[in-house]
Every structure is written in structure tokens, then in C-alpha cells.
Amino acid sequence: MSDSTVRIGLVLPDVMGTYGDGGNALVLRQRLRMRGYQAEIVEITLADPVPDSLDIYTLGGAEDSAQRLATRHLRRYPGLQQAAAKGAPVLAICAAIQVLGHWYETSTGERVDGVGMIDVTTAPQTTRAIGEVTTTPRLAGLTAALTGFENHRGGTTLGPDATGLARVTRGVGNGVGDGLEGVVQGSVIGTYMHGPALARNPELADLLLARALGVQDLEPLPLPEVEQLRRERLRA
Ligand code: GLN
């Protein structure tokens, strides 16, 4: 960390952030503050270069045209790539997985070069995946089922440098027939789960925070309301 305040980058909320994905940054800030850390959200918009100095970054989902604007900006200002290379955790939701990959095809079949941070490619599938998704995590440090809401047409294929975040037990996930959901590569974690994902999956929030702080474990935060919401979602 640069100083005692943990700085959370909310990347391009002006174009990427469907279904309240900006809430992921709020969850990170709140879980830090409840543990006594100072934390702030730094919004990086299309008017700003992308800084490489923040402690953790989150990116939300987007429609095709907004996704394209975000891709252009992140390629032009490579602060996110530099921060990830230094180990800063990056959470990428839905369209952000596609943007951070090598390339993606839009729903009209146009191929757009991505940022190239993760070894994935995305192409539209015949049917749109819409609905609740539940998965079993494959990433060490995560034990609880992950839940979220997915809405995407793109199907994402993982290359050899990327691994799946989780195995789908309900819903579609990456949507290319391998049964996987999300992606992990280096300090980047991607998922198709909206919700916002970190409100629904506090264990994932704390894994990202522990990495941002460079600690092994964080003190637990017993929040019965969050657990109740999770139980309801998993039962539904
Ligand atoms: N436009 C992308 C798709 O449909 C991503 C959508 C989203 O982020 N919800 O695959």
C-alpha cells in the first residue's frame, strides 16, 4: 500500500457497471472500514488516465457499445495492466472479462481486440444466458458456494494460462461447454456474476482484500444479514 489508506479503483463506472456492479467497490470499502482500515474509492472515468498506483481495482459489466469504449481507453492508458503485473488484485465482472482478454466478438459478429491481460477469448453464443448462477469454487481460499445473476450472450474460452474460478452447479457460466465459471490468472479474478458479486459472496471479497493488504487472513466479520441473504439466494 502507498500509505495507510487503502485505495480501491472503480474503473470506468461511466461505461461499465450494469446491475449495480459499482457496489463491489462499496463492499470492499465497507469491509475494510468495519475492520478499522481507512479506505476510499477512486473513480476512474473516460476523462481520466488509468493510474497504476491503487491497491485494488474493480470493473463492472457493460453493453457492447460501452464495452468498446472501455476497451479503447484501457488500451490507451495501460495503468491497469501495470498494476496487475505488480500484483494488485483486479476483479472483472462479465463484459470486463471479455475486455481484458485477447479479443471478443460483439453480438453482431465484429471482432474487437481486447486488453490482453488474460488468456481468454469470447464469441457470441446462440442463446443469451440469463438467470441465477451457482458454482463451486476451484480457487484455493474459497470454500463457500458462489452465487450471482448472469446476463450475457458472450461465451468465454480459457487458454492455457487461465483457469476457471469455479464449476457451475446451476446456470451457464462461461458458456462454452467446459462447465466452468469465471477466470483466474495472476492477480486477476473474473466472473460473470452480477449481484453485486461481492455483496453476495463475502468470502470472495475478503480474499481480494487480503491480497490487497498483503496479509494471510483477515479478522472475520460476522454479518448475519449477509448470511441470511446468501441463504435465501442459494435456496431460491
Ligand atoms: N455485452 C456482453 C455480453 O452480452 C456483456 C454483458 C454484460 O456485461 N452483462 O456478453
Side-chain angles (χ1 to χ4, degrees), residues 180-228:
L180 296 174
E181 199 296 305
V183 53
V184 179
Q185 185 174 335
S187 64
V188 180
I189 295 181
T191 174
Y192 274 102
M193 295 183 302
H194 299 280
L198 298 186
R200 290 177 61 161
N201 302 288
E203 196 177 34
L204 180 58
D206 283 354
L207 180 137
L208 288 162
L209 287 176
R211 289 183 176 184
L213 295 165
V215 299
Q216 198 60 35
D217 286 307
L218 286 168
E219 136 203 1
L221 268 188
L223 294 171
E225 316 75 14
V226 174
E227 274 320 305
Q228 164 136 4

Side-chain angles (χ1 to χ4, degrees), residues 7 13 24 29 52 62 85 100 162-163 175 189 205:
R7 297 201 302 155
N24 290 320
R29 187 179 67 184
D52 67 359
L100 298 190
T163 56
I189 295 181

